[in-house]
Every structure is written in structure tokens, then in C-alpha cells.
Amino acid sequence: MNQTTSWTADRTLRILRLSACLAGLLAFAACGQAADAPPAAPVAAKEGRICGFDQPFQYSFLGWKDKVKVEQGRAVWHGLKTQGGAGVTAAMNLVARADCSPALRLRTKPGNTAKSLSFRLVNGDDALAAWSFALPAPAEAFSVVLPANAAPLSRPDKAESKTGAAFDLARVSGWQFLGDWQPGILDVEIEAVLAVAPDPAMLAQRQAAAQAIAKQARKDADKAAAAAQRQAAEREELVRRYATRGPASPEVVAVSTVAPDIIELEIEAQRVVPSRFGKYEPQPGDKKRLEKPHADRAFPMAKLVRDGHDIGWLQGKDLDWFESYEELAGDPLLEFLAEDPAGYAVSSADDPAFAQARAPVAVYRKSKPSDWQQLMNRYPACHRLYLKLDHALKPGASYTVAIAKLNVKNPQATLAYDSRKLRSEAVHADQIGFRPDDPGKRAFLSLWMGSGGGLAYPAGLRFSIIDEASGKDVFTGPLELALAADGRELLAGKQVPNSSRTAIWRMDFGALTTPGRYRVHVDGIGCSYPFEIGADVWRKAFLVQMRGLYHERAGTELGEPWTTFRKPRDFHPADGTLVTRTAYDALSHGDQAFALIAKGDTGEKVADAWGGYHDAGDWNPRRVSHMSVTLAQLELVEMYPAFFNALDLRIPRTEGLPDIITEALFEIDCFRRLQHPDGGIPFGLETNGDPLPGEVSFLSSQHVFELAPNMRDSWYYAAVAGRAAKVLKPLKPELAAVYQDSAIRAFAWAETDYARR
């Protein structure tokens, strides 16, 4: 807690006079330039001052930019928010004042609501020391405010260093003020920053603070010891449960290299067992625990309790459908054993350096979730271990990695070291392929090793492009540094630190135009995934995306012969789904104010509200904004009709129409059915909230609302329906007229709504 000691300006002057006259410049002996001190850099301090305000601030930033004034020898913050800073570059040597406390001679004005200010001394860009000053209540007189616990210059409230070096009072290069970033407005005037020699009261504060710090340190040490003891017990239990290797143990699934002296082990641990869904088959002793009533739930849901455990959801109007919880199968990796070099031995019959098994000099780990057990929030993981060796591997040699401590089911991993054939995590070809005439063909070399940080590759490396068919190099080139580990990159219009935390090297091969299947190879490191160069290389990716749209269809049954994924028809009025209109306007209030959507319910039933696309995992909304994809489909048909009209999307077909137009019309028709008699188009269909836990779309118990029309969404629909009419006209003129008429009515309504608004 910050404590503030204040004196009136009067008392301060009396103390300074007495110090000078009665104690022979005691203040300077204690906190000024000592007679036998080494020569100091220029010091902007006199009569106990660290700095004054006879010149403007040299720089300011954020909310204080060009707003902190210097007037009549005072720094003035008037009506400023607390998110900002300002400072001056000035060389000072404050070693002789190390025992003095920095202090602010200030007054707060009636408009001040801010709580504190921070004063900082800096050593260039290397280190800083900071003291926090609690701001007193507004007053006319100036007072001297000390930092919390009268902290001296030698013991700041906070010290930071980029290099790890301690802050050095002998080489102060400047000072700053910084706001506290808390809610409040600054209305403050500061006359000077002082160096105040400690009096008995200040020494008592420091002693009390030191005792409190020591007491807290003892508490922290006890707490840390207890935590370490608990951790040791937990680890012992994990070893007892999972150390024995078996079928459920984690598995080494790949062995590769990321550098000539670093072997990578990729380990998969645990897996998610998907839910089972089907008709509920009761067993003796089953219990149904009804969920709490939900305001928008038309019928109840229940959890099924079997043998004393919740095992899943019962749903449907008669609670006759059952969905089990997902399960997590397999043993976790004993991660705390993974980074011990003594747990590994690398040997080789081909490499004399490893004729005798050698332990790595270091082991680093990077782990990330590979799946998600929903509701329970538990995660299988992919672990990557990096074994740093004291010798580079020998090309063409084979190696065995013996894994002694880690609980993997296959403790003998083998590596045939040929970087032309090894897939390396560090070599990235970030597209599935390129067109021959695409000038921007690139790959990258980079690796962040988790606990090992960024891997620094040497300059001067070269890469090659290997033809998969012949195994020969068809292109070579140098690696170029694209972004240094400590560099900055552009993100959302701002320069931010390199988020990869490692250097990124670029490999350009735009001159390679021959169709084929290739790998990027960096000598001694490894290869990328294969990629293709070809005229229709993106065809497969496009078809996969179109299949994704088909599988997101609402209001229709999915299954054979079009897909092996089965889903009954959902959200269809013919099956009892109730859809009513709401007066809620998404244009004015946003699209997810669920309570207001329900509050605006008019009770008017909508008879033919079905179709459109589910919104990814949250299958409740179907929105006009989803038609951005639909518009793009129709534009592609216009630009490249021969290619896109010939695509087989493997969907139910419309006689006389290409599949891509059929898919587009499925989405448009949802909103054409929703079009009001006057032409207006609703934002879409929405339930009162996201899907409820455990429910599937075709058994949803939630009420569905049609949102009110607005000009934005009516204009959008008009654009898409008009485009559909254009591409349909040469194929089905009568059908084109239907969409043209609908588009014109939507556009006219939007213009009227615009004029009204």
C-alpha cells in the first residue's frame, strides 16, 4: 500500500535552511555531491533538487502527447487521462544521493481524480527505476510527497532491465513521469523533484517496510516450500499411475531433425473418444436429472446418471435420445521428466562420434493441445522434444535414440539422417501449391522450440527444390532474412514485436514454373511437406470448401448418396419448429443482443422460414452476412464460366443448372422465402442465445426468431439476388425473372428505409 508523507512548503524550507546553517550543509553531505566523490556527469540538481521545470518536456506520448505543459517553472497536467508519459533526457550521477528519497513538490487541483503518478529514472534503453507517488487531496498550498515507504533512490519500487544488469545511479540518462493507467483525470502541478535526506520518521518507515518485506519473504518461502512438496507428491502419484509402459502410453510418432545437431521427437499423448448418439436404451438404475428450466426452452433436457455418474444428455420432447459425453482416452506424458538430458542416449553404428551412446547436452520441449474434450475442458497434446547434441549428425548415418525415463510405449526411436528425405518442422511451404505463372512462390525456415526459445540459424544457408518424381534438384537459391527474432512486424496497422519469437528466413522460387510435385530442402535440416505447381492446383481446396458449405445446410436432411455424414432435417416448420417475428433491428443494435431479440417478439408466426447455412459450431444463426460467400460464388461464375460451371460439387442437382449456382441458390432462397410482402429482407433467423449444452440441431428446444428487415441487409440481398438473376438469364430465363423481381423489390424497400432513417 502506498503511504504519503507530506510537509508544507514552509516546513520544507525551514528544514533545508537548518540543514545548511546548523549542520554544515548536512543535506549535501547525505544526499548531495560529496567532497571526495568522483567527478560526476552534469547534474540538473541544486539545493536538494533532482530536477526542476525551467524547460518544456523533450518528449511525450500516448494520451499526454503535446499536452503536458511547463508554465512558470511548474509542470502542469490539466484535465489529462492517466494513460500517458513524458520525459527529459539529462545525464546525472546520483550515487552520492543513493540514501535520499525522491520526492515531488506538488499540489493537486480540484479537478484531480487520479490516484497516483510514477517517476522514473532511466539508463538509456537498458534499465529503469520507478517510484510511485500517491496523490494527496486537492489543496492550494504545495506539499512535498514521498514515495511509498519513503523508498530511497537505491531501492526503487520497481526496477526493470532488458539485459539483466542492475539499474545504475551513476549513469542516469534521463527521467520520466508516467500515469498509472487507472480510471481518473489528472489535474496536478509539480514544482520540482527533490532528493530528501531521511529523517527519523522516514527511517522508521523504511525499517517497517523492510520488516514487512522480510516477513512476506518468509511467507512466500514457506508457501513455495509447501507448493514444492505438493508438486513432488503429485508427480510421485503421476509416476505411480502412468510410468509403466503399455498400449495407452504416449507414442513417438515421428523422428526428424531441425538442425544438424538437433533431433526432434514428436510425441502424441491421449485422444478424444467422440460422443455416441442414438435412441436412449434404459438400463436398470438409470436416473434422469432434469436441467433447470430455461426461459426459451420449449421442452426439458436431462442428464443421465448411471452407476452414480453423469454420462451424457437425454434430449428430445420425450427425452428419448441420448448423447454421451466425450471421453479422454490414454495416458498423459510425464512432462516433468521430458527435459532431463540423462533420460536419453543417442548411439550409432555408422558414426564414430556416437559409437558410445551419448546423452544430449540439453533437451527442450514444446507442447500444444491437439484436440479438445468438450465440457470437461481436457486436452490431448502433441509434444515436440528437441535433443541438442554436442556433435553434428553424419549424413547417411543411422541413429538410435533410447528413451529411458519418459513413459512412451516405444522407447527406441530410430533416425536415418538424410535431410533430403526427412520432413522437418522448421521448413515451411505454406501453401498447398502454386500456379506456374504465380510470381510469389515462397517457403520459410524458422523454429521456436518452446522452452528452448527461438532457434538461431546461421547466415549463408542455401535451399533447393526437389522434384518428387526424379529426386533431383530443379532449383536452388539463398535464404534471406525476412524478420529478425527481435524485429517488428505489421499487425492490424501497428508495428508489434515478432510474434514468432524467432528469426524467419525466406526462400523465393518464383522463377520455377514447371508443373510437378516438389519439396523444399535446406541442407542438413530437412524438407517441407510436398506441394504442387500446376494450373488447377487450388481446385481440390475449392471443392473441399464447397463441400463444407453443403454440410452446413440447415432445414434439409444430409446423408447418402451425397455424403456419409448423416443429419436429419433440422429447424424446419414442418417438423414443429416455431418461428415468430421480432421487432428487434440488428442494424441499430447489433446481432447478438439475445434478450432484446426475445423481448421484441411479436408472436406473428413465419410459415416458411428454413434453409440457409448454419454458423459453424454455433448452428443457431442464419444471417444475410453469410451471403458474402454466395456473392463470391456468383462472381466466379461470371468471370470464369467454363471452369466453375463444369465443377462437380457432389450435391443434389437442379436440372439445367451448374452445381455452383445450385449451391448459391440454396442460400439465397432462405432469404427469398423470408422476404416481406413490401420487399424488406430480415437480417436472418436467430435463437435466444447460442445452442444449449448437449443439444443437437435437429432436437433443439429453442425458439427461433425472424429479425426485423433493415436497409443494409435488404441492399445486400438485392445485390446477391440481382447477381443470381444475371447468371441465370442465359440458362433459365423464367427463373432469372423471379430473382430479378425479388432483388428489385428488396432494393426499393431499402431505399425507402434509407429515406425514413
Side-chain angles (χ1 to χ4, degrees), residues 185-199:
I185 298 296
L186 281 161
D187 203 345
V188 179
E189 295 180 1
I190 301 178
E191 280 191 335
V193 180
L194 308 173
V196 176
D199 65 7

Side-chain angles (χ1 to χ4, degrees), residues 105-431:
R105 185 187 291 132
L106 59 76
R107 67 179 176 185
T108 50
K109 307 289 283 183
N112 184 73
T113 60
K115 302 298 183 185
S116 65
L117 267 181
S118 175
F119 176 71
R120 297 180 164 198
L121 298 174
V122 297
N123 291 156
D125 290 332
D126 291 340
L128 65 84
W131 294 262
S132 181
F133 295 84
L135 297 175
E140 281 299 315
F142 280 82
S143 60
V144 174
V145 180
L146 290 171
N149 303 315
L153 288 166
S154 60
R155 292 194 300 276
D157 293 338
K158 181 175 73 170
E160 296 178 359
S161 172
K162 291 182 179 178
T163 62
F167 179 79
D168 188 355
L169 286 170
R171 58 182 191 91
V172 174
S173 62
W175 50 267
Q176 303 172 347
F177 284 99
L178 202 69
D180 62 11
W181 261 253
Q182 301 301 311
I185 298 296
L186 281 161
D187 203 345
V188 179
E189 295 180 1
I190 301 178
E191 280 191 335
V193 180
L194 308 173
V196 176
D199 65 7
M202 293 167 62
L203 291 174
Q205 285 189 61
R206 293 181 185 179
Q207 184 178 11
Q211 291 172 345
I213 291 171
K215 183 178 180 180
Q216 185 61 47
R218 290 192 295 272
K219 285 184 177 179
D220 291 344
D222 291 343
K223 187 176 179 180
Q229 191 173 11
R230 286 195 304 272
Q231 184 186 68
E234 290 169 358
R235 289 182 172 181
E236 284 183 13
E237 174 61 16
L238 288 171
V239 169
R240 186 190 68 77
R241 293 177 60 187
Y242 300 119
T244 302
R245 295 186 172 107
S249 298
E251 181 177 8
V252 179
V253 295
V255 185
S256 60
T257 52
V258 295
D261 60 349
I262 301 179
I263 294 175
E264 178 185 348
L265 304 179
E266 182 179 346
I267 301 173
E268 294 285 354
Q270 304 185 295
R271 62 184 178 85
V272 171
V273 179
S275 297
R276 300 177 303 279
F277 182 83
K279 280 291 188 177
Y280 169 51
E281 298 179 2
Q283 293 188 17
D286 281 359
K287 295 181 180 179
K288 301 175 183 179
R289 190 169 71 245
L290 290 176
E291 290 290 280
K292 292 181 180 179
H294 189 282
D296 191 44
R297 182 173 274 165
F299 44 86
M301 281 185 65
K303 289 182 178 177
L304 178 61
V305 181
R306 182 173 290 168
D307 299 326
H309 301 285
D310 287 351
I311 63 169
W313 303 94
L314 291 171
Q315 53 190 295
K317 291 181 179 179
D318 299 319
L319 298 180
D320 55 349
W321 291 88
F322 173 67
E323 179 187 3
S324 68
Y325 295 148
E326 291 183 340
E327 298 174 358
L328 194 64
D331 296 347
L333 187 73
L334 299 177
E335 298 173 5
F336 51 88
L337 301 178
E339 295 181 58
D340 181 3
Y344 308 88
V346 181
S347 61
S348 174
D350 308 320
D351 185 349
F354 292 89
Q356 296 295 321
R358 311 173 69 98
V361 296
V363 180
Y364 310 116
R365 177 174 62 87
K366 177 171 67 182
S367 301
K368 65 177 183 178
S370 56
D371 205 338
W372 169 36
Q373 183 194 12
Q374 297 187 55
L375 299 179
M376 303 300 181
N377 289 329
R378 297 190 295 178
Y379 307 91
C382 174
H383 305 275
R384 298 180 185 272
L385 306 183
Y386 305 95
L387 280 57
K388 170 71 173 172
L389 309 175
D390 57 358
H391 283 72
L393 300 172
K394 179 183 174 182
S398 294
Y399 297 83
T400 298
V401 181
I403 306 169
K405 295 183 178 181
L406 211 53
N407 62 322
V408 291
K409 68 172 67 173
N410 46 341
Q412 294 283 341
T414 58
L415 171 70
Y417 181 51
D418 181 351
S419 63
R420 295 178 63 84
K421 296 179 180 178
L422 284 173
R423 223 293 290 173
S424 176
E425 180 196 1
V427 186
H428 317 282
D430 61 351
Q431 292 188 185

Side-chain angles (χ1 to χ4, degrees), residues 50-71:
I50 293 176
C51 61
F53 303 99
D54 53 353
Q55 294 181 357
F57 286 94
Q58 292 176 350
Y59 60 87
S60 55
F61 50 89
L62 298 177
W64 296 3
K65 179 70 174 175
D66 301 327
K67 295 179 181 178
V68 184
K69 306 298 183 184
V70 173
E71 299 173 351

